[in-house]
Amino acid sequence: HALMIVFLISTLVLYIIVAMVSTKLTNKYILDSQEIEIIWTVLPAIILILIALPSLRILYLMDEINNPLLTIKAVGHQWYWSYEYTDYEDLGFDAYMIPTQNLVPGQFRLLEADHRMVIPVESPIRVLVSADDVLHSWAVPALGIKMDAVPGRLNQTAFIASRPGVFY
Amino acid sequence: MLHLIAARMGSLMARRAAVALTTSSARMASHGREVSETVDMSRPMYWDRLDTPLPDKAYKDELTAADKSLKQKEKGPWSQLTNEEKIALYRLMFNQTYPEMKQPRSEWKTIVGGIFIFMGFTGLVVWWQSLYVYPPRPRTFDDEWQAKQLQRILDMRMNPIEGFSSKWDYEKGQWK
């Protein structure tokens, strides 16, 4: 569907360009059109405001309390992640990426890690992301999360995994 | 805007208003300094353009004696001018006629040709790069590795609701 719309729009634009370039008309310079300029400046501004206000509301709604059952700290280093589960006991481990030459056939290049971060299913989880040396970013696209890891700063993100599996 | 004011106030007032409405010269003169007036010294130009007809001056400036006598004849009734004289008068005023201006030119062929030459050169560069610059492909791109990856994705039931694994029929063992 998206490709159809792309073709539609590009055909329309190409047609308009060709029509503008190859016109036989000679009066091409119309100056001074205050009324329509005002209309097509103010109307999009109003539309954008109508879009922006609910969007900001949703943005702040997303930060509301979700009572996480588990808190995990993900700290970024050059070049591995270290995870700390400190709610009940002190548990911490490093997770390195498996280099391409050590992969078993069938594993995903640049995605596999030697120790995975394990989380309980169907539970709200809070992840506190930070970094040890330089800026990193902690992301799991399959869960729709990304949070920048800034040294000296704790960033929080929360999510619920609705089904069991391995998420990359 | 300026010519509206001129029309209202008459020519003398208009000149003063025009001077007063110019920016730096008005402000500088009020401080008692000598200032040069900004004068428009542009001369009328001739052009052949479809979209701005009737240029500021005639095409031929230096009129020969024959031209001048023709111009004198033009001041009389035009029905007495022959066709050649009318054409000569037109050529005095203008360089090209409208059909001559609208004649197709072949500069687009040069331009399009140049574009294709550069695109072809880019293709050559890309091909040379793929031969000498790129590192060897990782072994994960081999067909059997890709097949094993695909099987692993389906075994893990990744995106089973709307995404990848939802397109695989697990009972029949084939794509839907």
Side-chain angles (χ1 to χ4, degrees):
Chain A
H1 294 124
L3 198 60
M4 219 165 64
I5 295 178
V6 166
F7 281 144
L8 192 69
I9 295 179
S10 39
T11 320
L12 181 68
V13 170
L14 268 170
Y15 170 74
I16 290 178
I17 290 174
V18 168
M20 290 285 121
V21 164
S22 61
T23 180
K24 295 275 181 283
L25 299 170
T26 51
N27 181 17
K28 293 188 220 174
Y29 303 116
I30 301 175
L31 309 168
D32 217 13
S33 52
Q34 291 283 55
E35 299 81 10
I36 194 169
E37 294 261 348
I38 291 176
I39 290 178
W40 68 37
T41 306
V42 167
L43 200 56
I46 294 177
I47 293 176
L48 284 174
I49 291 177
L50 286 175
I51 296 173
L53 291 176
S55 176
L56 282 175
R57 183 174 154 261
I58 293 179
L59 187 65
Y60 280 92
L61 276 178
M62 285 196 331
D63 268 345
E64 64 180 12
I65 309 161
N66 63 341
N67 288 324
L69 300 180
L70 181 62
T71 301
I72 305 173
K73 298 184 202 71
V75 183
H77 310 262
Q78 279 178 313
W79 295 100
Y80 61 96
W81 288 98
S82 58
Y83 298 103
E84 295 163 30
Y85 296 65
T86 48
D87 283 337
Y88 303 101
E89 290 180 2
D90 275 337
L91 167 63
F93 58 91
D94 297 336
Y96 280 81
M97 183 187 91
I98 299 181
T100 307
Q101 64 228 47
N102 298 355
L103 285 173
V104 169
Q107 283 186 315
F108 306 120
R109 183 178 71 104
L110 304 179
L111 284 176
E112 304 285 351
D114 53 3
H115 303 111
R116 295 176 184 155
M117 187 182 101
V118 182
I119 46 174
V121 73
E122 288 192 34
S123 329
I125 311 278
R126 173 203 280 137
V127 180
L128 297 171
V129 186
S130 185
D132 207 25
D133 35 28
V134 297
L135 289 174
H136 296 279
S137 183
W138 189 81
V140 184
L143 292 170
I145 20 174
K146 181 179 289 184
M147 187 52 69
D148 285 341
V150 182
R153 183 182 166 88
L154 277 183
N155 283 332
Q156 171 182 302
T157 177
F159 64 95
I160 301 177
S162 325
R163 55 182 165 82
V166 185
F167 299 92
Y168 289 96
Chain B
M1 270 292 292
L2 216 48
H3 67 265
L4 286 176
I5 303 174
R8 291 240 182 100
M9 291 201 243
S11 58
L12 279 173
M13 290 288 287
R15 189 150 310 160
R16 256 207 271 160
V19 168
L21 282 164
T22 54
T23 50
S24 59
S25 49
R27 279 182 266 131
M28 291 276 276
S30 69
H31 283 262
R33 294 187 202 179
E34 294 271 327
V35 120
S36 58
E37 292 269 315
T38 48
V39 174
D40 182 10
M41 294 202 197
S42 60
R43 303 169 95 200
M45 272 180 57
Y46 178 80
W47 58 78
D48 278 317
R49 280 185 67 116
L50 283 173
D51 44 14
T52 47
L54 302 174
D56 285 344
K57 75 170 184 55
Y59 179 57
K60 207 170 166 202
D61 271 349
E62 295 95 37
L63 299 172
T64 63
D67 296 332
K68 285 185 187 162
S69 65
L70 195 56
K71 278 291 195 184
Q72 278 298 108
K73 194 175 176 196
E74 195 191 14
K75 292 182 184 173
W78 287 341
S79 48
Q80 288 177 355
L81 294 169
T82 65
N83 268 348
E84 289 82 21
E85 284 173 337
K86 288 181 191 169
I87 292 175
L89 281 166
Y90 183 88
R91 290 291 176 186
L92 282 180
M93 285 294 284
F94 303 105
N95 181 22
Q96 285 180 316
T97 63
Y98 268 80
E100 284 170 16
M101 275 194 265
K102 290 182 194 175
Q103 245 171 19
R105 295 171 295 181
S106 43
E107 77 186 316
W108 68 271
K109 296 177 195 164
T110 317
I111 293 174
V112 171
I115 290 174
F116 284 144
I117 286 173
F118 277 107
M119 283 167 66
F121 178 69
T122 307
L124 273 176
V125 169
V126 167
W127 166 78
W128 178 85
Q129 269 183 340
S130 67
L131 211 55
Y132 292 105
V133 175
Y134 293 160
R137 261 183 154 194
R139 54 193 182 131
T140 57
F141 281 83
D142 301 337
D143 285 331
E144 34 174 284
W145 197 296
Q146 292 281 320
K148 289 203 173 124
Q149 267 184 239
L150 179 55
Q151 186 59 51
R152 188 156 174 252
I153 292 175
L154 291 173
D155 289 340
M156 281 199 221
R157 317 257 161 154
M158 287 183 151
N159 293 330
I161 302 161
E162 276 190 2
F164 198 74
S165 304
S166 67
K167 306 275 188 288
W168 177 263
D169 194 343
Y170 281 94
E171 282 103 54
K172 293 186 199 158
Q174 64 191 18
W175 293 107
K176 288 188 185 161

